[in-house]
Amino acid sequence: MDTSASPPVLPPAPAAASGRGAVLAGLGAYVPPRVLTNAELCGRRPLGDEWIRARIGVANRRVADGEATVDLAVRAGRHALTAAGASAVDAVVLATISPDRLLPAGAPEVAARLGLGTVPAFDIASGCSGFLYGLGLASSMITSGAFERVLLVASDVFSAFLDPQDWLMAAIFGDGAGAVVLCAGEAGAPGSLGPFDLGSDGAQADLLEVPGGGARARKRQLASPGEEFSPYFRMDGPAVRKQAVVGMCDSVTRAVDRAGWLLGDLDMVVAHQANQRILDGLTAELGLAPGRVLSHIEQYGNTAAASVPVLLAQAAAAGTLSPGLRVALTAYGAGLAWGSTTVVWPEVRAVAEGG
């Protein structure tokens, strides 16, 4: 796959040209209280804590006990609404790859449990890039003039989709949810989301997948009753790792260029927390100083679609993201799908629970 070739750039929508932007108004995050350490995970296995830290960069991860994806989403969404000082929104979008049910979508339940009434609510499934895709979609909903305020939540209880016998996958992933409230504002103002770079390569869809449970597996099982499809996640780690660094680097470069910035203008990059080696590679490829690609993977693991918004809320609450910083957001994952955007960090409140 060659992600270095720039996709065609679409002309801006009329609303964007009129000066209307989608602005960050509040952030929220929730991670479950249960901490699963490397020592607890590995037991007596010869490959233990030091091996996981060196290969993946994870020491601990949070695992949901008795909570599902919508439960986490409601808590993160409530925190984002509180941070934004909002009691109502015009739409709710839920990004997840670990839905509580195949049908119906989880977003309407999130909206109902948050007391948001009968607003439009729907799910998107774009792998670990789901939050970036959701930002792009919610931004377009606002800049088109159709909506004034949108709640976007990314929530994954990915531990429910891991093979209990596959300790390596369990070492990588954790559970969590992050959310943002976007409001209509002035394009180019602090907090206004910049141009997006979104892309996909479905020819490599089988590099990360949960093969069982969908229509394809069910139809094949009906035709061949003896055929089985695993309900658990599987991944070609080395193949994905090699492409993720280049893919996110190229995507960030395009987003930064569309914003009229240079890579040297970046103060911070908030990237999908897939693997510390990937984050280190991204730092090197972008030519950034150590520490400018934020990381919390050591304590939380890879929380799938939730990783970027959880890190955003935690960093904002801690003051690591301060007003005026030029920030790039980026993610890469199953689909394959990737996405990036930019934002000048605003004065914005964040509520992060469980950090």
Side-chain angles (χ1 to χ4, degrees), residues 252-253 256-257 259-267 288 292 326:
V252 166
T253 301
V256 165
D257 181 66
W261 299 357
L262 301 174
L263 287 176
D265 294 331
L266 287 175
D267 296 301
L288 301 177
R292 289 173 67 183
R326 291 191 174 190

Side-chain angles (χ1 to χ4, degrees), residues 195-287:
F196 282 81
D197 175 75
L198 300 171
S200 70
D201 180 8
Q204 301 191 80
D206 60 351
L207 291 183
L208 305 97
E209 64 172 351
V210 177
R216 179 177 301 171
R218 292 177 184 223
K219 282 294 187 179
R220 289 183 180 176
Q221 285 171 329
L222 286 173
S224 304
E227 193 170 3
E228 295 184 359
F229 294 86
S230 173
Y232 300 119
F233 174 75
R234 64 187 185 192
M235 169 176 66
D236 185 338
V240 173
R241 186 168 59 247
K242 290 177 182 178
Q243 297 189 55
V245 173
V246 175
M248 283 196 289
C249 179
D250 289 346
S251 184
V252 166
T253 301
R254 289 191 290 268
V256 165
D257 181 66
R258 292 171 188 174
W261 299 357
L262 301 174
L263 287 176
D265 294 331
L266 287 175
D267 296 301
M268 294 286 181
V269 175
V270 180
H272 170 51
Q273 305 288 292
N275 181 301
Q276 187 59 49
R277 288 184 172 185
I278 290 176
L279 297 175
D280 293 341
L282 180 61
T283 302
E285 286 291 326
L286 291 174

Side-chain angles (χ1 to χ4, degrees), residues 264-354:
D265 294 331
L266 287 175
D267 296 301
M268 294 286 181
V269 175
V270 180
H272 170 51
Q273 305 288 292
N275 181 301
Q276 187 59 49
R277 288 184 172 185
I278 290 176
L279 297 175
D280 293 341
L282 180 61
T283 302
E285 286 291 326
L286 291 174
L288 301 177
R292 289 173 67 183
V293 176
L294 297 185
S295 173
H296 72 177
I297 192 171
E298 181 179 9
Q299 296 303 320
Y300 298 98
N302 177 348
T303 52
S307 72
V308 170
V310 170
L311 181 52
L312 277 177
Q314 290 177 344
T320 305
L321 289 174
S322 57
L325 294 182
R326 291 191 174 190
V327 181
L329 315 180
T330 188
Y332 191 101
L336 294 172
W338 57 87
S340 301
T341 192
T342 56
V343 62
V344 176
W345 201 254
E347 290 274 4
V348 63
R349 188 180 174 209
V351 179
E353 180 185 358

